[in-house]
Amino acid sequence: MNSFTLKNTTLHAENVALNHIAHAFGTPCYVYSKAALTQAFERFSAGFAQTNHLVCFAVKSNPSLAILNLFAKLGAGFDIVSGGELARVLAAGGDPKKIVFSGVGKTEPEMQAALNAGIFCFNVESASELNRLNRVAAALGKVAPVSLRVNPNVDAKTHPYISTGLKNNKFGVAYEDALNIYLQAAAMPNIAIHGVDCHIGSQITELAPFLDAFDRVLWLVDALEQHDIPIQHIDLGGGIGICYSDETPPEFKAYALAMLEKLGTREVTLVFEPGRALVGNAGVLLTKVEYIKHTEAKNFAIVDAAMNDLMRPALYDAYHDIKAVQARDNQASALSYEIVGPVCESGDFLGHDRTLALEEGDLLAIMSAGAYGMSMASNYNSRPRAAEVMVDGEQCYVIRKREKIADLFALEQILPNL
Ligand code: LLP
């Protein structure tokens, strides 16, 4: 379902016109569709209905409390990578028993907080981390549930910055070392081996890398059984891509069928950590054209959103479709525009070479901005972060107020004698 559609020449989020949201709450503004979020989660889960499974939403893709709360109510678990994300999930009403904790750099306080909360599993990424976790758990008189994140050395065929399953990445333990480290873990009194974990990258648009990684994980699961180390769950990470322009990522149904077929008759719980696939196309970034500027070489539309609001184009050269909120009658005046923000860097662009009929004051929607949009936003150029709004049918609600300029330096102090 596409929850962002044109109705009578105006782009809507569900049944609310985006220009209404811009007038009511200002721009730049992230807008999410509750129906799109709900449907993505339900569709993803439906594929695994006949088997024990846990869908752990990757919090880093969009850590909004309202979105976490919505997913928690739908039965989701959560994939976290920091103490901050743990606190967010708990504040949003998430069930600690459905939390998996990933990440290569877990600190002792983070381990303590997660052990005290009683999370589902630690996805451990090195032998040193395993030793530390054993020690931290012992000091608390607890036993830590653990999966090793193995690096299956498969090529996810995605952008190098978001590919994580290759030998030269910092993530996980080398596939060849995994069995040995599991044997060490089995001898640790405050570690309980529960699962095997892998995550090979993000925005993956083919099935093959997932299947290759799963094959390697299953080989390890079977080898562990032979060593009397039974595995209760397999965590296959996240990474399913979405359509930003013309990509054709695997459908949830096809992904689920392929995974279930590979699993065969093994009785384990399947855990997934999707982020982008659940929220990416459920959000847009609404922005206003401040200035139109024609130069000898280019036409620029300078908008009030920038790289600090949506970093993906500047960081990965990522493509986001850009649509006019109100289609203009005079399409003949359409020109090719560079859609750029006000930040003082040439890398501050949201789209290159977009053919649009524009005037100053027009509203644009940067599409597919629900994942890694607000979550990667910064205050660069002392720009307050955008407001966030959730649409539900005819209703819309602010789920995060626009930051105030005073918020930006509230934690700072001047040293009078410096
Ligand atoms: N699990 C782990 C351990 C991860 O590191 C990630 C993402 C996920 C799950 C969720 O992956 P997803 O289903 O969203 O692909 N900022 C980049 C994406 C970075 C992804 C990092 N890890 C972007 O904007 O494209």
Side-chain angles (χ1 to χ4, degrees), residues 58 60-61 79 81 102-103 123 125 149 161-162 164 171 197 199 201-204 237-241 244 273-277 312 315-316 371-372 376:
K60 65 169 81 71
S61 64
D79 167 49
V81 291
S102 307
N123 290 337
E125 305 220 15
R149 174 169 174 185
Y161 285 13
I162 53 176
T164 52
F171 300 99
D197 168 49
H199 169 80
S202 196
Q203 184 55 14
I204 299 170
I240 300 190
Y244 286 99
E273 304 168 356
R276 190 190 317 264
R312 303 192 70 259
L315 189 58
Y316 312 113
Y372 306 106
M376 291 171 70

Side-chain angles (χ1 to χ4, degrees), residues 106 108 111 115 124-139 144 146 148 181 184-191:
K106 300 176 193 81
E108 289 195 11
M111 287 175 172
L115 284 163
V124 170
E125 305 220 15
S126 65
S128 307
E129 183 190 334
L130 191 63
N131 281 316
R132 180 187 282 188
L133 184 58
N134 184 43
R135 196 164 28 79
V136 172
V146 157
L148 274 193
I181 302 177
Q184 289 169 34
M188 293 182 182
N190 294 84
I191 295 290

